[in-house]
């Protein structure tokens, strides 16, 4: 029974909250620019509209092109069942699921990249190459952060790494955890193609990375990609929030409310970052990502001392 | 108080990383100044406040936080350079070397035969790491000005070591060290100007080509 309640809260938060985050980010950016901006629920309208539309599929593509969006939607959905949302524990979990979750996200990225290559467009191939390069550079940071958490809590399952399990860690290793939060925030920005690493609103520009890969998708396929991206934002955001907020209030609705509030604050923070920081030159990004990896490595050294 | 001092020392290490990875001279000078100013506050947090520690903190704050950055900023204004263009070793390898040096400092200081009171404290690994960062900076950069900055960071490392000895070290020694540093930076400012006038560039390897 508790298992079912947990699953319900988890899916409700995941499916209901994730598009709202995109709306909050857009609203924050509009506020900074002095515009009124689209309504907060605009992403829901966009998704509903996309799912009603027809699709145009290029004749040169194969089934790989159709498989990309499906993996892009299902992989984050399955992965987020292993991640605790604030104090609401993860419905599923086993020892070592942290590696499983990270590589599920890797699988969705692989499928998106393969679908982009399948169109045979040189432009999309370039975007795929960039996306995969940055993903390689982010991976060490994620794993160093997770190693720090494993070392602190002694658990090998994501369910035991975040949230209330960390409360004791904040007393003994606060500096390491602060570095870990910063690194996780950078990972969230990179993995979700946010400024300063990639601009999600550019279209048809030589510098864009993620958007270029999905240029040929339309209709329901594009809707699946958008929804999957929103879930991925929620998933990685949940890891960041889980690091920063090691409290539990006891009752599920209250915990869900606290988590939703924290996620919205994170979305506002992302909006502020996008408004005040200029996009980095493409060649500077690897330098910054390696720097972040080294920072997370330093967090591990501090902890091991 | 001890916790706050540890936090400042950790920030000093993070600033080391920033300086090693940044190519903008202005940002590097500001970071070095911030590092010096933060270090100047540490003796007040670690030791009981007396005339000695107050003088040490005040003079370090004035020299490292204000006077030397001002001298260096004046130097880059005069020679009109903003960036270190091509260092001997790139920024990313320097950063990796810096992290390895920092990790080495933490491991090494665990094996040192220290007084019981200093065991487990952050002062020694932080001092070693800052020394390493200063060394790296002096070795890898070509411009005379960034090398002077490396020297400043190196001295910050020595200052961190000095924190352990504040009560034992006579005032005159510390005043002498700070004065030496000031003179060195002052002279470096003049040298930078001269190199620039002679070769219209600040790369120090030009100096080794003078064979007449």
């Amino acid at each position: 029974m508790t298992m079912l309640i947990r699953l319900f809260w988890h899916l409700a938060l995941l499916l209901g909250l994730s598009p709202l985050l995109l709306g909050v980010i857009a609203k924050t950016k509009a506020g900074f620019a002095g515009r009124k901006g689209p309504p907060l629920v605009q992403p829901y309208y966009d998704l509903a509209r996309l799912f009603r539309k027809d699709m145009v599929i290029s004749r040169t593509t194969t089934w790989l092109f159709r498989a990309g969006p499906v993996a892009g939607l299902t992989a984050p959905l399955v992965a987020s069942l292993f991640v605790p949302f604030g104090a609401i524990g993860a419905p599923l979990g086993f020892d070592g699921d942290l590696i499983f979750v990270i590589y599920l996200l890797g699988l969705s990225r692989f499928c998106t990249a393969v679908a982009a290559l399948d169109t045979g467009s040189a432009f999309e191939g370039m975007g795929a190459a960039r996306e995969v390069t940055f993903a390689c550079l982010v991976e060490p940071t994620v794993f160093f952060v997770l190693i720090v958490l494993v070392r602190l809590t002694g658990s090998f399952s994501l369910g035991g790494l975040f949230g209330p399990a960390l409360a004791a860690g904040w007393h003994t290793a606060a500096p390491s955890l602060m570095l870990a939060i910063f690194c996780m925030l950078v990972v969230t920005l990179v993995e979700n193609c946010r400024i300063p690493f990639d601009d999600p609103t550019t279209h048809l520009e030589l510098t864009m990375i993620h958007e270029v890969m999905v240029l040929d998708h339309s209709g329901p396929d594009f809707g699946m990609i958008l929804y999957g991206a929103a879930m991925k934002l929620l998933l990685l955001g949940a890891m960041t929030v889980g690091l920063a907020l090691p409290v539990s209030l006891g009752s599920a609705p209250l915990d869900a409310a606290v988590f939703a509030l924290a996620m919205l604050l994170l979305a506002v923070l992302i909006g502020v970052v996008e408004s005040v920081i200029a996009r980095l030159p493409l060649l500077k990004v690897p330098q910054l990502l390696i720097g972040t990896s080294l920072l997370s490595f330093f967090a591990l050294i501090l902890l091991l001392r | 108080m001890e916790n706050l001092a540890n936090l400042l020392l950790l920030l000093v290490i993070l600033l080391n990383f920033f300086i090693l990875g940044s190519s903008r001279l202005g940002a590097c000078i500001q970071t070095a100044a911030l590092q010096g100013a933060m270090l100047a506050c540490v003796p007040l947090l670690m030791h009981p406040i007396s005339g000695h520690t107050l003088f040490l903190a005040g003079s370090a704050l004035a020299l490292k936080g204000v006077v030397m950055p001002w001298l260096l900023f004046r130097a880059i204004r005069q020679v009109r350079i903003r960036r270190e263009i091509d260092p001997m070793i790139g920024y990313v390898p320097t950063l990796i070397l810096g992290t390895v040096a920092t990790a080495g400092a933490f491991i090494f200081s665990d094996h040192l035969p220290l007084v019981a009171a200093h065991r487990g404290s952050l002062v020694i690994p932080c001092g070693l790491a800052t020394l390493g960062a200063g060394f790296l900076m002096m070795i890898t950069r070509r411009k005379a000005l960034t090398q002077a900055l490396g020297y400043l960071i190196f001295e910050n490392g020595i200052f961190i070591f000095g924190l352990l000895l504040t009560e034992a070290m006579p005032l005159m020694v510390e005043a002498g060290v700070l004065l030496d540093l000031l003179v060195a930076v002052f002279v470096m400012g003049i040298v930078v100007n001269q190199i620039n006038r002679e070769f219209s560039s600040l790369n120090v390897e030009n100096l080794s080509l003078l064979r007449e």
Side-chain angles (χ1 to χ4, degrees):
Chain A
M1 193 58 205
T2 50
M3 173 79 195
L4 274 182
I5 294 174
R6 263 175 163 182
L7 194 64
F8 167 76
W9 278 110
H10 221 74
L11 286 177
L13 276 173
L14 178 69
L15 299 174
L17 189 64
S18 51
L20 185 64
L21 296 178
L22 298 179
V24 171
I25 293 176
K27 199 75 173 171
T28 314
K29 285 175 78 174
F32 262 86
R35 291 179 286 118
K36 201 160 150 250
L40 284 177
V41 289
Q42 185 64 40
Y44 297 95
Y45 291 139
D46 285 348
L47 286 174
R49 189 195 42 168
L50 283 170
F51 280 114
R52 280 201 313 271
K53 276 183 155 181
D54 277 345
M55 272 193 286
V56 180
I57 296 173
S58 157
R59 258 174 293 137
T60 59
T61 56
T62 59
W63 61 273
L64 282 171
F65 182 72
R66 297 298 309 277
V70 175
L73 180 71
T74 48
L77 185 67
V78 176
S80 56
L81 292 181
F82 291 89
V83 179
F85 286 175
I88 303 176
L92 303 176
F94 54 87
D95 264 359
D97 62 2
L98 44 105
I99 294 171
F100 176 66
V101 164
I102 299 301
Y103 284 105
L104 262 183
L105 294 183
L107 177 72
S108 92
R109 187 181 302 110
F110 172 78
C111 289
T112 319
V114 165
L117 291 174
D118 192 39
T119 60
S121 145
F123 193 38
E124 294 196 24
M126 199 169 69
R130 285 174 181 170
E131 166 101 353
V132 174
T133 311
F134 289 176
C136 287
L137 292 171
V138 164
E139 216 170 81
T141 314
V142 179
F143 277 110
F144 276 129
V145 168
L146 287 178
I147 293 172
V148 166
L149 296 182
V150 166
R151 172 84 189 180
L152 260 180
T153 60
S155 158
F156 281 96
S157 157
L158 280 177
L161 287 185
F162 293 100
L166 273 180
W170 271 104
H171 291 293
T172 52
S176 289
L177 280 175
M178 260 154 19
L179 286 176
I181 288 181
F182 175 77
C183 293
M184 229 26 231
L185 203 60
V186 172
V187 169
T188 311
L189 290 175
V190 181
E191 288 271 334
N192 295 291
C193 319
R194 293 275 149 197
I195 296 174
F197 303 100
D198 182 14
D199 190 345
T201 55
T202 53
H203 284 288
L204 288 173
E205 269 186 43
L206 281 175
T207 49
M208 64 195 203
I209 300 158
H210 183 78
E211 285 309 303
V212 73
M213 295 199 301
V214 297
L215 271 181
D216 270 306
H217 292 283
S218 57
D221 270 1
F222 190 55
M224 281 200 263
I225 289 174
L226 276 188
Y227 210 0
M231 284 185 204
K232 199 169 160 192
L233 177 63
L234 185 82
L235 195 164
L236 287 161
M239 288 193 183
T240 316
V241 166
L243 271 174
L245 205 72
V247 288
S248 165
L249 293 176
S251 78
L254 221 53
D255 281 337
V258 166
F259 173 74
L261 202 67
M263 283 307 297
L264 294 181
L265 278 179
L266 182 70
V268 171
L269 178 68
I270 292 176
V272 172
V273 168
E274 292 211 342
S275 308
V276 298
I277 298 181
R279 228 197 103 163
L280 286 173
L282 209 56
L283 292 174
K284 275 276 171 67
V285 174
Q287 195 182 332
L288 186 64
L289 291 183
I290 292 174
T292 320
S293 305
L294 295 175
L295 214 57
S296 52
F297 178 60
F298 178 58
L300 184 63
I301 298 173
L302 271 184
L303 190 68
L304 289 181
R305 200 163 72 84
Chain B
M1 289 307 243
E2 194 72 13
N3 270 335
L4 199 58
N6 279 343
L7 191 66
L8 281 179
L9 289 175
L10 283 181
L11 281 177
V12 163
I13 296 183
L14 294 185
L15 289 182
N16 284 340
F17 290 148
F18 181 81
I19 293 179
L20 284 177
S22 169
S23 69
R24 284 160 201 259
L25 284 181
C28 282
I29 296 175
Q30 276 167 353
T31 317
L34 181 65
Q35 197 181 43
M38 283 193 326
L39 283 179
C41 302
V42 176
L44 292 180
L45 297 171
M46 286 182 62
H47 299 289
I49 293 179
S50 63
H52 185 175
T53 48
L54 273 179
F55 171 79
L56 180 65
S59 55
L61 188 64
L63 280 180
K64 291 183 176 180
V66 182
V67 177
M68 282 187 278
W70 178 73
L71 281 173
L72 289 171
F73 266 117
R74 207 182 61 155
I76 64 170
R77 255 205 317 280
Q78 279 170 348
V79 298
R80 290 196 193 83
I81 51 163
R82 303 261 290 286
R83 284 168 184 273
E84 166 90 32
I85 306 292
D86 60 333
M88 306 270 209
I89 305 175
Y91 292 107
V92 171
T94 325
L95 254 182
I96 295 175
L97 282 176
T99 317
V100 171
T102 308
F106 273 89
I107 296 167
F108 180 62
S109 59
D110 272 353
H111 294 287
L112 284 179
L114 299 172
V115 191
H118 296 158
R119 198 157 294 155
S121 111
L122 264 180
V123 172
I124 290 169
C126 180
L128 284 172
T130 312
L131 283 179
F135 254 138
L136 264 176
M137 187 97 173
M138 284 197 276
I139 295 166
T140 57
R141 303 296 150 91
R142 284 176 205 264
K143 300 264 188 278
L145 207 88
T146 25
Q147 294 190 352
L149 262 182
Y151 175 63
L152 269 185
I153 296 164
F154 189 72
E155 206 282 332
N156 278 347
I158 297 173
F159 186 86
I160 299 175
F161 268 113
L163 287 175
L164 293 179
L165 306 171
T166 312
E167 262 141 34
M169 211 181 334
L171 202 56
M172 285 315 290
V173 177
E174 275 161 19
V177 169
L178 283 172
L179 203 63
D180 274 355
L181 191 65
L182 179 66
V183 171
V185 173
F186 195 70
V187 170
M188 209 59 190
I190 298 168
V191 169
V192 162
N193 223 341
Q194 292 296 330
I195 298 177
N196 190 50
R197 194 175 300 162
E198 204 69 31
F199 304 105
S200 67
S201 126
L202 268 187
N203 288 358
V204 263
E205 63 261 40
N206 286 334
L207 291 179
S208 59
L209 298 178
L210 272 185
R211 301 218 185 89
E212 273 299 319

